[in-house]
Amino acid sequence: MQTLQNFPKHFFEAINAMTRHRKAITFTLDTLVIDAIQKVAESHGDSTSRHIEKVLFDYCKSQKAIEPSESRLGENRGGDRRKKPKDSTTKSDA
């Protein structure tokens, strides 16, 4: 009979990854902070939510609140969601 202790560690990591998901939550923040986060996120090509998640994940990991073996959830929306630079050239109607 196989006990849970006999299962390889990567088995439990895979199960954990399957149960993790993103959840909407609301925070009340200073508007100065909100504007700054949006600006920094845009400069990194991230959505505000994605950037906050990355920063907080790394912080929690550095504080040992998240196991060192854990990794961030991947992008699950598909496609490139980063804003494209605006084209400065214009076409004439000639």
Side-chain angles (χ1 to χ4, degrees), residues 6 15 17 20 22 25-26 30-31 33 37 56 74 79 87 91 93:
N6 295 337
I15 296 294
R20 287 175 51 195
R22 289 187 172 90
I25 187 167
T26 303
D30 180 337
T31 55
V33 174
I37 291 169
L56 290 177
D87 189 1
K91 295 180 182 178
D93 294 329

Side-chain angles (χ1 to χ4, degrees), residues 12-79:
F12 294 105
E13 290 171 356
I15 296 294
N16 185 38
M18 290 188 311
T19 60
R20 287 175 51 195
H21 61 280
R22 289 187 172 90
K23 178 180 174 181
I25 187 167
T26 303
F27 291 99
T28 304
L29 301 172
D30 180 337
T31 55
L32 179 66
V33 174
I34 294 168
D35 293 342
I37 291 169
Q38 290 172 334
K39 185 176 181 179
V40 172
E42 186 175 318
S43 74
H44 284 96
D46 290 334
S47 68
T48 304
S49 293
R50 183 72 174 146
H51 190 73
I52 291 170
E53 180 181 297
K54 287 163 66 171
V55 169
L56 290 177
F57 184 93
D58 291 346
Y59 175 75
C60 291
K61 202 168 182 178
S62 75
Q63 297 299 304
K64 300 185 179 12
I66 295 177
E67 293 292 324
S69 61
E70 292 290 344
S71 57
R72 296 184 198 133
L73 289 176
E75 180 60 61
N76 59 4
R77 297 178 301 169

